[in-house]
Amino acid sequence: MNLSIPTPSLPEIFRMQLEKALQRLPQNEAKKVEIEVMPCAKEQFGHYQSNLALKLAKILQKPPMEIAEMLEKLLDKGEEIAHVSVTKPGFMNATFAKEALSKRVHALLEDPLLCAARPKSPQRIIVEFSSPNIAKELHVGHLRSTIIGESIARLLAFLGHDILRLNHVGDWGTQFGMLIAYIDKYAAFDTEKSPNLETLMHWYKEAKKQFDADPSFRTSSQQAVVSLQQGDARSLNLWKAICAISRTAFEEIYQLLDVHIEERGESFYNPQLAPMVKELEEQGMIEISDGAKCIFLDGFTNREGNRMPFMVQKSDGGFNYDTTDLAALKHRVLVEKADRIIIVTDLGQSLHFQLLFAAGKQVGYYDPSKVQVDHVGFGLVLGEDGKKFKTRSGETKKLVDLLKNAVVFAQKLVDEKSPDLSQSQRESLAKSLGISAVKYADLASHRQKDYTFSYARMLRFEGNTAVFLLYSYVRMLGIQRKVQAKKTPPLSVTLTHQTEISLGLHLLRFSEALAFAEKELHMHYLCDYLYHLAEKFNAFFRDCRVEGAKEEQQRLLLVEACRKVLQKGLYILGIPTVDRM
Ligand code: ARG
């Protein structure tokens, strides 16, 4: 079997046979109808279904049941489909032969990509995520971005794309003027030995207060920005020191989460801003509005019917968030040669990115038929009281504490459920489970909805949780430890029992789950898939004896296929597997 060109998938096989049957119809007007094939809602009807007959009813002026029966007669089932049934109100359902499914599960076992569909041509994809702001603490919004972005990057890399992960940190702008002016005024860096992020945030708050209240402080802040932008050595050094403090704090989180990302903050684009705006002006792309330089967007109108502006330079000559993002877009397309750009932030920034993408297109920085741009937005994190997630003092929760508390919570659970493990085993298990639970709870919920943060819920042993999936994984390992795999005679997967067939079919759907997640950039599809895999595995384990059965060795192969798919799926979600629980 040629591994780089996988055979057509099960739904594709059914679709191709339906296509042939369709072409055999005498009515020409029917032949262009697009054929859709979906998994059957209920397995007793079959494995895949199509609503083709329902679609044809209008064109052919016949009842759908009659058309379905006619198509069924014209259909050549080929080698893999065992039978096709017709159910009301006109669905056609294909059931695959268990021999065909067995063969395919065996092929999956031998394929490093587990039969995932390879892209026609691998793309260069930039995934921008996390992107916290210097001198401010990361908050739950950044946590969501980090978890979702990391997982999307892993998915796309697994499918064979070339991924550049970028951390677009907020490391430039007026806040540094304030901070530098504050540090200058109070000689804060000298009195404080080695300030940490907390101290820095405190300075930032104090500086902001003074900035709002004291005009002379405002002037010195503005001067500090100018001197920083002009490359004044002392300002630059202070700026670097401030960034370094924040970076250490961010790194702690990334290490806990096992996230690897390249920092390329706003400051990186700073030298490109003035030349970019100048060039846009020369090209006649800029209109002045109240002294500010703007790109007025075709196709984006406000309530009064006027085109909406995308501001690239403020009336005071300063650049802003929009300018930097436009420069980043340009750089990513022209220099990084991205085929696709994915930016992961909260949904609150949706309009900003719509306008950015429209502006980029309008000034010719990318051609939408060649470069795909996506804003992957997500909802809020809520506390169990249903309100926006906050600590008692009203500050957005500190992320490190949030993660560390998850580990504490997991520790209680592990101590209670796994008393037979050693102390150090329990500690490392708790660390892994706590962090995994937080990640999984986030990824398993529909990202555009707000999600409720609850340690108790995310650490349940039953239901759609990381703990349940990891526990199922440990059960798989348990069987493998107990039953020796024999290399001879060479055996192959042989699905016989109903729960085995159902499990085998589900394994073959891994590629569908990945394709779906990729298309929509929704990771909960993969979570749902893995949850059902674990459930089907547990049903198989309940119904089919492995140890000592005459099918022992064949069933062991099926267990190994499950283990591989579950491990890979969890890996894509950023969740490491554990050996014992
Ligand atoms: N630093 C921003 C924030 O914390 C997020 C940056 C998102 N990315 C971008 N290209 N604008 O809200």
Side-chain angles (χ1 to χ4, degrees):
M1 182 174 190
N2 187 341
L3 289 184
S4 62
I5 312 161
T7 48
S9 64
L10 298 173
E12 186 55 22
I13 295 270
F14 186 33
R15 209 197 58 76
M16 281 170 2
Q17 303 296 18
L18 284 169
E19 181 70 56
K20 282 192 233 153
L22 185 66
Q23 298 312 320
R24 290 186 190 125
L25 286 177
Q27 296 90 339
N28 276 329
E29 65 278 22
K31 294 184 180 168
K32 285 207 179 74
V33 171
E34 200 203 328
I35 303 174
E36 287 168 285
V37 169
M38 317 255 272
C40 283
K42 290 202 177 111
E43 249 169 60
Q44 68 257 35
F45 294 144
H47 299 151
Y48 289 91
Q49 70 175 26
S50 175
N51 61 354
L52 176 60
L54 295 154
K55 279 190 171 178
L56 288 172
K58 257 215 195 102
I59 305 172
L60 300 182
Q61 298 289 326
K62 280 194 178 113
M65 282 302 277
E66 198 176 300
I67 300 172
E69 272 148 23
M70 181 165 76
L71 281 170
E72 192 269 325
K73 287 200 186 83
L74 289 172
L75 189 119
D76 163 17
K77 290 198 285 293
E79 278 172 27
E80 296 192 278
I81 298 175
H83 66 267
V84 174
S85 68
V86 172
T87 46
K88 277 184 198 155
F91 284 109
M92 300 177 71
N93 313 289
T95 302
F96 283 84
K98 54 179 189 267
E99 295 75 20
L101 296 178
S102 303
K103 248 196 203 152
R104 281 172 177 265
V105 174
H106 199 88
L108 173 139
L109 197 53
E110 290 182 346
D111 176 7
L113 257 78
L114 305 167
C115 290
R118 282 73 167 163
K120 280 188 207 87
S121 52
Q123 293 183 312
R124 166 113 169 123
I125 306 179
I126 291 179
V127 186
E128 187 222 280
F129 63 96
S130 199
S131 309
N133 301 312
I134 298 286
K136 296 187 191 168
E137 199 102 35
L138 271 93
H139 56 70
V140 280
H142 296 120
L143 175 69
R144 286 208 86 177
S145 172
T146 309
I147 291 173
I148 296 170
E150 170 73 23
S151 182
I152 288 177
R154 285 182 184 222
L155 169 68
L156 297 170
F158 174 69
L159 294 173
H161 297 290
D162 169 22
I163 310 298
L164 175 62
R165 299 134 166 268
L166 292 182
N167 194 359
H168 189 83
V169 294
D171 64 353
W172 202 248
T174 43
Q175 78 257 39
F176 291 96
M178 291 191 300
L179 265 170
I180 292 172
Y182 183 87
I183 290 166
D184 269 341
K185 190 167 167 189
Y186 298 100
F189 246 105
D190 308 325
T191 46
E192 188 74 37
K193 280 281 167 292
S194 54
N196 58 16
L197 189 59
E198 250 175 305
T199 317
L200 207 59
M201 280 172 61
H202 172 72
W203 291 350
Y204 179 79
K205 272 188 210 139
E206 290 301 308
K208 180 90 175 67
K209 268 190 221 153
Q210 294 205 19
F211 185 87
D212 293 336
D214 175 2
S216 80
F217 184 78
R218 201 172 316 150
T219 312
S220 49
S221 299
Q222 277 149 359
Q223 276 161 0
V225 177
V226 174
S227 73
L228 179 63
Q229 289 188 334
Q230 286 169 345
D232 165 66
R234 184 183 140 75
S235 308
L236 266 179
N237 281 337
L238 275 176
W239 170 74
K240 278 187 197 149
I242 294 167
C243 290
I245 295 166
S246 287
R247 198 169 294 129
T248 320
F250 299 162
E251 275 308 320
E252 189 187 353
I253 304 274
Y254 296 144
Q255 251 177 31
L256 271 173
L257 293 172
D258 189 26
V259 160
H260 306 271
I261 186 167
E262 191 171 312
E263 181 179 322
R264 189 179 290 173
E266 294 179 4
S267 65
F268 174 87
Y269 303 99
N270 183 53
Q272 302 164 22
L273 305 184
M276 175 183 80
V277 172
K278 186 162 170 272
E279 189 187 67
L280 288 172
E281 270 186 293
E282 285 164 4
Q283 293 168 334
M285 305 278 189
I286 300 293
E287 290 171 50
I288 310 287
S289 168
D290 289 335
K293 293 178 188 165
C294 301
I295 300 165
F296 277 88
L297 302 172
D298 307 328
F300 271 93
T301 46
N302 61 14
R303 272 193 226 126
E304 289 83 45
N306 300 321
R307 284 175 310 152
M308 280 171 77
F310 186 80
M311 192 199 290
V312 292
Q313 190 166 14
K314 295 186 281 183
S315 55
D316 68 4
F319 301 116
N320 58 13
Y321 196 59
D322 290 5
T323 326
T324 309
D325 266 339
L326 189 62
L329 181 61
K330 181 181 183 192
H331 188 268
R332 289 166 184 183
V333 178
L334 299 179
V335 180
E336 288 296 348
K337 305 260 182 284
D339 300 307
R340 185 174 185 186
I341 298 165
I342 295 170
I343 299 176
V344 187
T345 78
D346 60 283
L347 280 168
Q349 300 198 38
S350 294
L351 180 63
H352 165 71
F353 286 107
Q354 279 176 37
L355 299 179
L356 168 68
F357 296 155
K361 187 174 100 180
Q362 189 163 314
V363 300
Y365 287 167
Y366 74 99
D367 171 354
S369 70
K370 297 205 180 85
V371 177
Q372 187 182 347
V373 290
D374 291 291
H375 172 234
V376 171
F378 53 80
L380 300 173
V381 182
L382 304 178
E384 288 187 85
D385 55 3
K387 298 207 183 98
K388 202 172 160 186
F389 200 68
K390 290 199 168 161
T391 52
R392 244 174 291 159
S393 63
E395 265 177 30
T396 315
K397 260 210 167 117
K398 282 190 202 162
L399 221 66
V400 194
D401 294 343
L402 191 91
L403 294 173
K404 288 186 177 160
N405 280 342
V407 174
V408 172
F409 215 99
Q411 189 70 62
K412 276 190 226 141
L413 186 83
V414 169
D415 290 345
E416 181 192 311
K417 300 254 184 185
S418 313
D420 42 323
L421 297 183
S422 74
Q423 166 101 7
S424 75
Q425 279 175 325
R426 275 183 280 134
E427 269 167 24
S428 77
L429 180 59
K431 194 168 167 211
S432 183
L433 282 189
I435 303 295
S436 294
V438 173
K439 288 184 183 174
Y440 191 84
D442 193 327
L443 294 169
S445 59
H446 190 297
R447 67 169 156 77
Q448 280 157 330
K449 294 195 182 135
D450 296 345
Y451 111 91
T452 307
F453 194 95
S454 153
Y455 291 123
R457 193 169 330 145
M458 65 179 67
L459 282 159
R460 277 180 324 188
F461 254 80
E462 295 87 30
N464 192 7
T465 65
V467 185
F468 174 66
L469 295 190
L470 290 169
Y471 182 64
S472 306
Y473 184 83
V474 168
R475 283 184 102 176
M476 294 170 193
L477 291 183
I479 304 174
Q480 295 184 328
R481 270 193 216 108
K482 229 166 126 191
V483 188
Q484 275 291 312
K486 300 192 184 83
K487 287 267 169 332
T488 46
L491 288 164
S492 46
V493 174
T494 315
L495 306 166
T496 47
H497 192 281
Q498 199 45 52
T499 50
E500 257 181 310
I501 296 172
S502 175
L503 176 58
L505 176 68
H506 195 72
L507 286 171
L508 298 174
R509 289 197 175 147
F510 185 49
S511 68
E512 289 167 41
L514 296 181
F516 229 63
E518 182 193 15
K519 186 161 166 269
E520 312 277 334
L521 299 176
H522 272 302
M523 299 314 294
H524 73 273
Y525 290 131
L526 180 57
C527 297
D528 285 347
Y529 170 84
L530 295 176
Y531 174 47
H532 289 129
L533 174 64
E535 283 195 318
K536 282 175 188 287
F537 169 76
N538 287 319
F540 155 76
F541 194 58
R542 178 196 63 214
D543 295 346
C544 302
R545 191 156 55 94
V546 179
E547 192 180 16
K550 75 173 188 315
E551 306 92 341
E552 181 192 85
Q553 292 296 311
Q554 287 90 336
R555 287 190 170 152
L556 217 45
L557 291 175
L558 182 60
V559 173
E560 176 60 2
C562 290
R563 192 196 63 77
K564 279 192 167 169
V565 171
L566 185 52
Q567 182 181 44
K568 195 58 87 182
L570 287 169
Y571 167 81
I572 291 172
L573 299 175
I575 295 179
T577 50
V578 294
D579 291 349
R580 276 169 214 280
M581 233 162 127

